[in-house]
Amino acid sequence: SSDGIKKDHNQLLLRCIGEQLAELDLLLSMYPDEAELKIEDFVAVDELRRLVSEVDVDAMSECQFRIGFTFRIIGTSNLVVLECICRLSGAYPTEKPPGLFLRSDWLSRDRLRLASEALANQLEEMFKPGEPVLYQMLSWLTEFVSTNIPTDEDASASTATEAGAAETEATTDQRLCRLWIHSHHIYNSLKRRDILNWSAELRLTGFSIVGKPGIVCVEGPESAVEEFWQRLRRLNWKKLTMKEKDVCPPDATEAVRRQFKKFDDFRELSFNARPGRGREVLQDWGLVIRFLEDKGLGHVIPVYFGNLTSR
């Protein structure tokens, strides 16, 4: 029966979460300093511990919490050379590998890309369904960095040059883009939190609007925008689509690039929002349309609202 299948799924999910927590505890014992390993959301971890300890199978179907943390590789002078962001889905470790993403303000884009490719290849090689792999992956990454990436003071000059090159790439060479995302609805507080956290982490600007439909607009370097989209897609949505992509040419002048960006930060916006039935949030979509027109973004109005206008 469908109830039996659901119960089996929840039991499997509970077992996976239990194994994830045991693996997290091992990592915390190996890396007790928060400067090296920082948990994203202690409330989420505590709630998952409660569900596992109480063997609350039924509650798993409603649980939206996930385990996430950042692992930092620190060089001399407390320099953070590389960060590995880890997020665990409910299917790890039984079916799917952990989600691992690299980030660095220190490395050039090319070197970061090569490190990311090496990480992906190593994860594909090491992951075996049903077996934990996080400690092995973080140990491998630490060894990879020490072998392939200069982290000591002797290499500071060349690495600083890389950092400068990375900054130049991010600000001048890399193509800017703006992504328009449509969701059937956005109500869930955890998804809203992820949208705000990820946009801040990836240094993206734009906005989100909760309700039905849900709207997310992010702008910034194309690689960061793409990373945001890939993370968002991995969450559980009724329907999520990329509606439009605005692109600023890579050879655009700095003045054109500044004109392309329409936002200074990322915010969750509200337009005379009022509560509806249940968890519904009702926005004044006429005000949303006027906001888009005032920002010079009227071209996306038909994408979301058809022929509706603010006037």
Side-chain angles (χ1 to χ4, degrees):
S1 69
S2 60
D3 287 344
I5 293 173
K6 183 178 179 181
K7 187 172 183 179
D8 289 345
H9 171 77
N10 288 345
Q11 286 176 331
L12 179 61
L13 182 57
L14 194 67
R15 194 183 85 198
C16 285
I17 297 298
E19 292 179 10
Q20 291 176 18
L21 288 169
E23 195 170 8
L24 180 63
D25 288 339
L26 171 65
L27 292 176
L28 288 171
S29 70
M30 302 294 294
Y31 307 102
D33 189 343
E34 196 176 70
E36 282 189 287
L37 194 149
K38 183 176 182 180
I39 294 175
E40 278 185 5
D41 189 341
F42 281 99
V43 173
V45 172
D46 289 343
E47 177 63 12
L48 291 171
R49 288 192 195 281
R50 184 189 67 79
L51 293 176
V52 170
S53 66
E54 295 177 2
V55 197
D56 196 341
V57 175
D58 294 333
M60 293 308 296
S61 59
E62 301 297 326
C63 180
Q64 296 285 333
F65 288 117
R66 295 174 300 283
I67 293 175
F69 62 85
T70 299
F71 177 72
R72 297 185 178 95
I73 297 176
I74 301 173
T76 56
S77 304
N78 290 324
L79 170 73
V80 178
V81 177
L82 192 67
E83 292 182 310
C84 180
I85 294 92
C86 175
R87 291 192 172 86
L88 307 181
S89 74
Y92 172 79
T94 55
E95 298 174 3
K96 295 183 179 180
L100 301 177
F101 314 97
L102 297 184
R103 181 178 66 186
S104 177
D105 292 332
W106 185 247
L107 301 179
S108 68
R109 189 174 60 190
D110 284 344
R111 183 161 280 187
L112 183 60
R113 177 177 54 80
L114 291 173
S116 297
E117 289 174 356
L119 178 72
N121 292 336
Q122 186 68 16
L123 181 59
E124 184 177 358
E125 181 180 320
M126 292 186 73
F127 176 69
K128 304 290 187 295
E131 298 180 13
V133 75
L134 285 175
Y135 176 67
Q136 294 93 314
M137 285 303 304
L138 297 184
S139 298
W140 173 87
L141 183 61
T142 303
E143 179 64 26
F144 175 85
V145 169
S146 67
T147 305
N148 296 278
I149 298 174
T151 60
D152 56 22
E153 291 178 351
D154 293 338
S156 60
S158 61
T159 315
T161 302
E162 280 197 3
E167 186 176 346
T168 302
E169 286 169 352
T171 55
T172 59
D173 295 340
Q174 193 174 25
R175 195 163 67 164
L176 290 176
C177 73
R178 183 184 303 110
L179 210 59
W180 297 93
I181 300 167
H182 176 280
S183 171
H184 178 269
H185 63 266
I186 300 176
Y187 298 126
N188 184 279
S189 61
L190 296 172
K191 289 177 181 174
R192 291 162 65 180
R193 182 200 64 190
D194 283 344
I195 289 169
L196 291 172
N197 286 349
W198 291 343
S199 61
E201 174 194 325
L202 297 167
R203 299 182 178 87
L204 300 175
T205 54
F207 67 91
S208 61
I209 303 175
V210 302
K212 182 179 178 181
I215 297 175
V216 181
C217 168
V218 287
E219 60 181 20
E222 192 169 28
S223 60
V225 169
E226 180 62 25
E227 170 66 18
F228 179 91
W229 169 240
Q230 293 302 329
R231 292 187 193 182
L232 204 62
R233 289 177 60 194
R234 293 189 185 101
L235 303 181
N236 186 28
W237 301 93
K238 182 170 184 178
K239 186 176 182 182
L240 187 76
T241 53
M242 183 196 302
K243 285 290 192 178
E244 195 89 0
K245 184 176 183 180
D246 305 330
V247 175
C248 183
D251 57 352
T253 64
E254 187 58 32
V256 171
R257 290 168 65 87
R258 282 197 302 268
Q259 189 176 22
F260 176 83
K261 291 195 71 175
K262 303 295 185 182
F263 305 96
D264 298 323
D265 55 12
F266 188 97
R267 297 184 184 184
E268 183 181 277
L269 301 180
S270 179
F271 296 85
N272 283 355
R274 62 192 191 280
R277 290 181 299 176
R279 60 177 183 167
E280 281 186 348
V281 177
L282 304 177
Q283 302 280 358
D284 185 333
W285 294 110
L287 291 180
V288 175
I289 291 171
R290 187 173 302 167
F291 166 76
L292 293 173
E293 290 173 341
D294 291 345
K295 283 287 187 181
L297 297 169
H299 67 284
V300 298
I301 292 172
V303 172
Y304 287 101
F305 305 105
N307 296 322
L308 191 63
T309 67
S310 62
R311 312 302 180 204

